[in-house]
Amino acid sequence: MNKPLISVVTVCYNASLILEETVKSVLTQKYENLQYLIIDGNSKDGTLDIINKYKTYISYFISEPDNGIYDAMNKAIDKATGEWIIFMNAGDLFIEGALNKIFSTTIDTSVDVIYGDTIIKYPFGNKYINAGFFKDNDIALPFCHQSTFVRTKCAKSFHFDLSYKIAADYNFFYTLYQNKSVFLYIPIPISQYNAIGFSTNRVLETFKEVCAINGHNHGFKYKLKLLYFAIRNYLIQKIPNFIIVLYRKWKYSRNYFF
């Protein structure tokens, strides 16, 4: 069986402390048909030194100013030549052997998106997250972007809408869903996602953008949720961080925490 070419993309900016682990997780996949692209936002720290260290394994690399993470991801989509594309950005990791597990069998040509489960890395431990699917009360993307493969031709048709600063990934997949794209769920963990990410600590802003995208940005329930997230954000700013960490550790320890 000839395995499809997979375009793996890492977007980074001043990521010298976390990039190398991500690069290693890509290269140790031992998947024989891989295109690896790194899009850097003109880093000024030691990021470029790490990239140069692994340059013989990198198919495409560019370092230049951009208009944010989604702009950088769009650049990668334009350069990708694989049948499938996945984003594994600085700080995020592939689960060992994930690529070979996903593509060990032939994927039906009707499938446009493949998604799986995720391990979320918190400062106090890891939690296994089963992927969900779109529903009316979404407050974020129901599956992890880093655990999702998209047919590259689909990505090239839509790209990420830069008018969304936080939830452009939700908009991207929701647009595919609205356009009747075929989603395939495979119940295995694909990535380990670092919870200290771009939108993790911006729940209120993410909620506003998601609701604007799916049309649920009105009504009493929406206003109640806005109030809830506003109060939540206020309390998080006022409560000492160690108390928040202890609470989250207790909360998540009750369900798939290890």
Side-chain angles (χ1 to χ4, degrees):
M1 171 184 150
N2 294 322
K3 294 182 178 180
L5 177 65
I6 309 299
S7 295
V8 178
V9 178
T10 295
V11 168
C12 57
Y13 175 67
N14 286 345
S16 61
L17 298 179
I18 56 176
L19 177 61
E20 187 165 23
E21 191 176 10
T22 298
V23 173
K24 287 180 177 179
S25 85
V26 174
L27 300 181
T28 56
Q29 284 294 296
K30 298 180 180 178
Y31 185 84
E32 60 268 24
N33 203 10
L34 182 74
Q35 177 192 37
Y36 191 25
L37 304 91
I38 296 183
I39 311 297
D40 178 72
N42 198 28
S43 290
K44 302 301 183 184
D45 62 351
T47 296
L48 299 185
D49 294 331
I50 295 171
I51 293 171
N52 285 326
K53 179 179 177 180
Y54 295 96
K55 64 182 179 180
T56 58
Y57 303 100
I58 299 169
S59 309
Y60 176 82
F61 162 68
I62 191 170
S63 180
E64 63 181 16
D66 53 49
N67 293 317
I69 186 171
Y70 296 119
D71 182 34
M73 291 163 76
N74 280 341
K75 292 180 183 180
I77 290 173
D78 290 338
K79 293 295 182 180
T81 59
E83 184 175 345
W84 298 89
I85 186 170
I86 185 170
F87 291 89
M88 198 61 57
N89 295 331
D92 303 318
L93 310 173
F94 269 118
I95 299 301
E96 184 177 355
L99 286 175
N100 282 307
K101 288 179 182 178
I102 292 292
F103 296 102
S104 60
T105 58
T106 301
I107 304 297
D108 192 280
T109 55
S110 66
V111 174
D112 301 303
V113 180
I114 303 168
Y115 66 106
D117 300 334
T118 305
I119 296 173
I120 298 186
K121 182 180 181 181
Y122 292 97
F124 44 79
N126 299 335
K127 184 183 180 185
Y128 191 103
I129 301 294
N130 295 102
F133 200 59
F134 294 104
K135 54 187 182 297
D136 287 344
N137 61 341
D138 283 334
I139 63 170
L141 190 65
F143 45 81
C144 184
H145 194 172
Q146 286 82 346
S147 293
T148 309
F149 300 86
V150 180
R151 292 256 185 209
T152 305
K153 64 180 181 181
C154 292
K156 289 181 183 292
S157 296
F158 293 98
H159 288 75
F160 294 95
D161 186 340
L162 302 188
S163 66
Y164 298 105
K165 303 304 180 185
I166 302 175
D169 52 352
Y170 179 91
N171 178 71
F172 175 81
F173 288 107
Y174 189 74
T175 301
L176 290 176
Y177 168 67
Q178 291 290 91
N179 280 271
K180 309 300 181 184
S181 296
V182 177
F183 287 70
L184 173 65
Y185 170 57
I186 299 180
I188 66 168
I190 295 174
S191 71
Q192 176 180 289
Y193 172 69
N194 192 336
I196 308 175
F198 179 63
S199 61
T200 304
N201 296 316
R202 301 171 71 177
V203 177
L204 178 59
E205 292 87 348
T206 303
F207 173 69
K208 288 180 179 178
E209 286 196 358
V210 166
C211 289
I213 292 163
N214 61 27
H216 293 280
N217 57 338
H218 52 81
F220 177 73
K221 287 184 178 180
Y222 172 72
K223 293 178 180 179
L224 194 62
K225 273 285 189 181
L226 281 181
L227 178 61
Y228 164 76
F229 286 127
I231 294 173
R232 178 181 180 272
N233 282 2
Y234 175 80
L235 291 176
I236 287 175
Q237 293 172 10
K238 297 298 181 181
I239 297 173
N241 188 62
F242 78 91
I243 294 178
I244 295 173
V245 170
L246 287 174
Y247 167 74
R248 287 176 172 171
K249 185 174 182 179
W250 168 80
K251 176 183 176 182
Y252 291 123
S253 67
R254 297 179 298 162
N255 184 24
Y256 301 111
F257 180 77
F258 60 94

